[in-house]
Amino acid sequence: MIVVAIISLLAALAIPSLRRARERAQAVTLAVEFRAIEGAVDMYWAEHNKPTTSTAKFGYSGYPDGMELYFPKRNDWLAGPKTGGYWLWYFDAGQSLGLGSDSLVAIYGSKMSTEQMQAIDATLDNGDLNTGRFRYLNPYILYGAD
């Protein structure tokens, strides 16, 4: 009986720590994914003359023709972020939202907590989910990617 009580006590102490470690790992993973996409966007625009208007042939859920060659893993975009939801791409939307960029990469339907998103914002931007290039507008996570 004492052994069961000790094991229960240890489990009660360990489970919250494991949950926090998992949440931190998810936040770091998403920040890395956003940085990788930002790098792909930068390389693509450097080689393909960035358009100046939203009449370019891409938008919701897609990406510019040929950009898949710049992603670290070509299926990452279609598979969606590892934290859940799916990627969205918008051109010429970042400036209108005050993100300081033309290209806007978003995630729709992620199950990230506000604390996780604040940790990501502190890594990628200014730590404030209401200002800067990384924002949370429920249910969207937005990042100005160029």
Side-chain angles (χ1 to χ4, degrees):
M1 196 68 151
I2 294 174
V3 172
V4 171
I6 291 172
I7 291 172
S8 298
L9 179 63
L10 291 174
L13 294 173
I15 290 173
S17 296
L18 293 173
R19 184 179 48 81
R20 283 190 301 273
R22 180 176 172 260
E23 289 176 355
R24 281 192 304 269
Q26 287 177 331
V28 168
T29 298
L30 189 57
V32 167
E33 287 181 312
F34 272 122
R35 288 277 192 214
I37 289 173
E38 180 179 28
V41 168
D42 289 344
M43 286 188 299
Y44 181 84
W45 289 140
E47 294 180 14
H48 292 88
N49 297 326
K50 182 177 179 179
T52 57
T53 68
S54 60
T55 58
K57 189 184 108 180
F58 45 88
Y60 182 81
S61 264
Y63 46 80
D65 290 336
M67 185 177 274
E68 69 277 1
L69 301 174
Y70 295 84
F71 293 140
K73 295 179 184 173
R74 293 186 183 170
N75 292 329
D76 278 359
W77 186 271
L78 298 176
K82 292 174 180 65
T83 55
Y86 58 91
W87 295 110
L88 302 171
W89 166 278
Y90 299 95
F91 181 75
D92 210 18
Q95 293 292 349
S96 63
L97 290 171
L99 296 174
S101 65
D102 293 321
S103 299
L104 169 64
V105 175
I107 298 174
Y108 176 79
S110 178
K111 304 295 184 207
M112 303 282 292
S113 70
T114 303
E115 292 80 20
Q116 287 174 294
M117 287 185 281
Q118 287 172 331
I120 296 167
D121 194 7
T123 300
L124 295 175
D125 196 25
N126 61 4
D128 183 352
L129 290 171
N130 299 312
T131 63
R133 293 177 60 200
F134 185 87
R135 308 262 181 97
Y136 177 59
L137 300 172
N138 193 15
Y140 295 94
I141 300 171
L142 309 173
Y143 184 61
D146 65 354

